[in-house]
Amino acid sequence: AALTGALPTWLTATGAILFSISGATLIAVRPADKAAQNEADVRKYQALLARSERMTAADLAQALEETRQGDAPEVEPLRDVAYNDIAIELGRPDAVVPLTPAQRLLAAMA
């Protein structure tokens, strides 16, 4: 605001528009709701982890698929990124899956 007089009008107007869009996006996204949904997802997976020791591989695969169905939509693009990280961490670069350009960007940011 202090630089408003020193900047071109179009630049100030563009900044105000971008600020307004950012504020509207923040209201539309509703971070508290997203956090609550992510916490619920964490609890589901923790419960699955606790039950997994006494499950067969087939039962675990089915339970995992059922658990994934209610996941937050933001999680899906991160699945392969996280899988690749774990595969590399476990020394299995042969198990790495190809990433889309968006997933490669997410991996770079992570």
Side-chain angles (χ1 to χ4, degrees), residues 28-65:
V29 169
R30 298 174 24 197
D33 291 348
K34 297 292 183 186
Q37 186 177 9
N38 288 333
E39 283 297 318
D41 289 348
V42 167
R43 285 191 297 276
K44 288 189 312 186
Y45 282 102
Q46 286 174 339
L48 178 60
L49 182 61
R51 294 187 335 246
S52 67
E53 292 181 12
R54 48 186 193 275
M55 294 177 134
T56 65
D59 291 340
L60 181 59
Q62 180 182 357
L64 182 60
E65 188 59 36

Side-chain angles (χ1 to χ4, degrees), residues 77 80-81 97-107:
D80 290 339
V81 174
V97 296
L99 299 177
T100 65
Q103 288 173 321
R104 284 196 298 270
L105 176 65
L106 290 171

Side-chain angles (χ1 to χ4, degrees), residues 63-79:
L64 182 60
E65 188 59 36
E66 290 170 4
T67 303
R68 284 182 176 172
Q69 293 195 10
D71 281 349
E74 296 84 8
V75 171
E76 196 57 41
L78 297 172
R79 281 193 203 287

